[in-house]
Amino acid sequence: MARIQECILYRNFLNGEILEKMTALMNACDNHQEELKKEESVFFECVNGLVEMAGSYGFSGNLWHNYLTFLLVNHENAFSTASEIRGGVEGSINEIALNDFTIFKELYDFDLQVFDQAFGTSCCRIICDYQNIDSNSKMFNLRIRDRICSMSKTLAAAETTEEFMADMVQFYKDFGVGKLGLHKAFRVAHDDNGKVVIEPVTKIAHVQLEDLVGYEIPKKQLIENTEAFVRGRKANNCLLFGDAGTGKSSSIKGILNRYYDEGLRIIEVYKHQFQDLNDVIAQIKNRNYKFIIYMDDLSFEEFEIEYKYLKAVIEGGLEKKPDNILIYATSNRRHLVRERAGDKLEIMDKDDLHSSDTVQEKLSLVYRFGVRIYFGAPDKKEFQNIVRVLAERHGVAMPEEELMLEANKWELSHGGLTGRTAQQFIDYLLGTIDQ
């Protein structure tokens, strides 16, 4: 008999509709064969749901086990979140968790083939060994998909409930629990009730720091600060500023991909969402990850006052900023807030009695970034080296003299000497020249 209603910790699953219907079918099967036949349409609904989930998440193998594993690794409760932090929990909650895992192990061990016999189908045989030709996940990156599929096999092979529970604890310790554990990057949104929610970004550019040609000193500064942060040492909020197209945003993506396995996560926030920052911080401050709140292309005009709010959130409010959170921003402006000639002390604004105070107010935000890293546009020689390296990396077969000539023509009409221009030129060649 399926006793899912007896679970204490693992209840109210976000995607639990299939679980409820399947357990009802299992109970009907135990009661009477004729009663089960009345639920034939429910059975086919469940099979449809499992196949659709396989299409969305890229699952293969035993789809029923994949689904159960998906529920377990995403369920945030007192036991799973504590296991994420400590890798094991002591006390009475262990007994409660063992009760729930006993029930789930019964679901893993249930032989779905009885439904095929009852309904005269081959559906269960197929979904228990499902071959997914299109394994590209729309909801997960491939690493997460593979972890869930692998974990489902591990749990199905567990001989005892204690072994089953130990496997789950190890998973929570290694990879975390819920969306914050399984995903790298997030954005801020609101649900239907206006509540601030943190949504996963499922498609992320797989940029590595090594992909950014040059800029060794800026990259070294960024790596040192981030590495100190993820390894529990003191670190600073970080501002990457400089010319457009020089790799500031790409460096942030590269940092995420390098340190994700060490618990680094990034939440992207836009200017109009600064009022949501306190809610975001409240949701992540007690989790076992290091979070970078990332603000891309950050700058303010004089009439925009959001920067005053950001100052208090970064440093200056009564509540201490949690140790697992840093602010990283990129900007084309050194001081973030637009400056005028009249802000300088030697050029007094007739309407401003204390121009020095005005200057300090505008600089006070940037001073809250303890690390400020400059990304400057490359000179001609550096630009040509970037083109040369990118061409070699992408297998562009063109004589170097011709390559440099075409690159020089391209940059004159496409944004000047920047790394972005060089990449766009190589993309153009890849799209027009037979390799």
Side-chain angles (χ1 to χ4, degrees):
M1 180 177 180
R3 301 176 292 124
I4 196 65
Q5 73 280 359
E6 296 177 21
C7 283
I8 299 171
L9 293 165
Y10 290 86
R11 304 180 66 87
N12 304 318
F13 291 97
L14 185 60
N15 295 279
E17 297 85 0
I18 297 175
L19 178 64
E20 294 175 5
K21 293 176 181 178
M22 285 292 285
T23 52
L25 287 171
M26 292 175 185
N27 291 331
C29 184
D30 286 343
N31 293 334
H32 199 279
Q33 195 79 354
E34 290 302 318
E35 185 175 336
L36 177 61
K37 285 186 176 294
K38 297 177 183 178
E39 305 296 332
E40 185 173 11
S41 63
V42 175
F43 167 72
F44 287 113
E45 283 180 27
C46 291
V47 174
N48 170 262
L50 292 173
V51 172
E52 288 296 329
M53 176 167 275
S56 296
Y57 292 93
F59 293 154
S60 292
N62 191 313
L63 299 187
W64 172 237
H65 291 169
N66 290 339
Y67 170 69
L68 293 174
T69 306
F70 171 82
L71 295 181
L72 289 172
V73 302
N74 277 289
H75 197 277
E76 298 179 8
N77 55 60
F79 178 81
S80 62
T81 53
S83 298
E84 168 189 272
I85 297 173
R86 295 188 287 274
V89 187
E90 297 180 357
S92 300
I93 197 171
N94 270 325
E95 295 180 50
I96 297 174
L98 196 62
N99 166 78
D100 290 8
F101 289 134
T102 299
I103 295 169
F104 263 86
K105 188 176 186 311
E106 293 171 357
L107 297 178
Y108 276 85
D109 293 342
F110 186 89
D111 183 7
L112 296 184
Q113 301 278 352
V114 299
F115 293 136
D116 278 349
Q117 296 171 7
F119 299 121
T121 73
S122 59
C123 293
C124 291
R125 176 185 60 79
I126 295 171
I127 64 172
C128 286
D129 186 23
Y130 191 77
Q131 307 300 314
N132 198 344
I133 297 176
D134 182 15
S135 60
N136 291 321
S137 170
K138 305 178 184 68
M139 307 296 291
F140 281 153
N141 64 48
L142 298 183
R143 181 180 299 186
I144 298 172
R145 181 207 67 190
D146 291 344
R147 283 176 180 170
I148 291 178
C149 290
S150 175
M151 186 60 181
S152 71
K153 295 177 182 177
T154 300
L155 294 175
E159 294 184 0
T160 65
T161 303
E162 288 76 13
E163 183 183 346
F164 187 103
M165 179 171 167
D167 290 335
M168 280 308 314
V169 169
Q170 191 62 45
F171 184 94
Y172 292 143
K173 179 183 177 182
D174 291 343
F175 306 116
V177 57
K179 61 187 177 185
L180 296 179
L182 296 178
H183 294 271
K184 291 182 180 182
F186 308 85
R187 62 171 62 94
V188 177
H190 293 86
D191 62 17
D192 294 338
N193 298 318
K195 181 182 177 182
V196 175
V197 293
I198 300 172
E199 291 185 341
V201 176
T202 57
K203 298 294 183 183
I204 306 168
H206 295 290
V207 177
Q208 305 298 325
L209 284 170
E210 293 74 18
D211 296 337
L212 184 62
V213 183
Y215 298 100
E216 297 308 317
I217 294 177
K219 286 193 293 186
K220 183 173 182 292
Q221 290 177 283
L222 183 62
I223 289 170
E224 287 175 349
N225 192 69
T226 307
E227 201 164 279
F229 176 52
V230 298
R231 295 177 185 173
R233 304 194 299 271
K234 290 292 184 182
N236 283 290
N237 300 314
C238 189
L239 172 65
L240 283 61
F241 71 94
D243 300 304
T246 51
K248 301 183 293 296
S249 300
S250 295
S251 295
I252 298 292
K253 296 170 187 173
I255 281 290
L256 171 62
N257 289 320
R258 174 173 291 194
Y259 293 104
Y260 164 66
D261 286 335
E262 295 187 44
L264 183 66
R265 305 291 186 267
I266 283 185
I267 302 175
E268 187 171 27
V269 178
Y270 300 101
K271 277 193 297 189
H272 69 276
Q273 297 172 322
F274 285 170
Q275 70 268 22
D276 298 328
L277 279 174
N278 282 331
D279 287 332
V280 171
I281 291 172
Q283 293 181 44
I284 63 178
K285 65 181 179 181
N286 294 321
R287 296 305 297 269
N288 192 36
Y289 310 102
K290 301 293 185 179
F291 291 94
I292 288 175
I293 296 179
Y294 170 48
M295 303 165 187
D296 189 34
D297 199 19
L298 186 64
S299 66
F300 300 91
E301 302 300 326
E302 285 187 289
F303 59 85
E304 295 179 305
I305 62 172
E306 289 93 341
Y307 76 92
K308 299 176 185 288
Y309 185 83
L310 180 59
K311 286 195 306 180
V313 172
I314 294 179
E315 186 180 317
L318 288 176
E319 184 177 7
K320 178 181 178 291
K321 182 165 65 66
D323 293 334
N324 69 329
I325 297 172
L326 282 184
I327 309 291
Y328 277 25
T330 65
S331 180
N332 295 335
R333 286 179 173 168
R334 178 185 298 268
H335 293 149
L336 297 177
V337 182
R338 182 185 180 187
E339 298 173 277
R340 299 178 295 111
D343 292 336
K344 300 298 183 182
L345 291 176
E346 63 270 18
I347 306 177
M348 300 292 290
D349 188 329
K350 65 180 181 179
D351 295 323
D352 195 347
L353 294 177
H354 303 284
S355 59
S356 62
D357 292 349
T358 300
V359 173
Q360 289 302 313
E361 168 66 17
K362 291 188 174 183
L363 295 179
S364 59
L365 175 58
V366 74
Y367 286 160
R368 281 167 165 78
F369 291 90
V371 173
R372 297 184 285 277
I373 304 174
Y374 175 63
F375 283 71
D379 59 25
K380 192 78 169 181
K381 183 177 180 180
E382 291 170 333
F383 174 78
Q384 291 180 337
N385 181 59
I386 293 173
V387 170
R388 187 179 298 110
V389 171
L390 291 177
E392 182 178 349
R393 185 177 293 166
H394 292 281
V396 175
M398 180 181 287
E400 183 170 329
E401 184 175 345
E402 182 183 354
L403 179 68
M404 292 301 108
L405 180 62
E406 293 300 319
N408 292 338
K409 292 179 183 177
W410 180 272
E411 65 90 2
L412 288 173
S413 58
H414 291 84
L417 301 172
T418 70
R420 178 183 295 156
T421 302
Q423 183 64 63
Q424 290 171 344
F425 169 64
I426 296 300
D427 291 342
Y428 163 74
L429 292 182
L430 291 172
T432 57
I433 298 177
D434 293 332
Q435 299 298 308

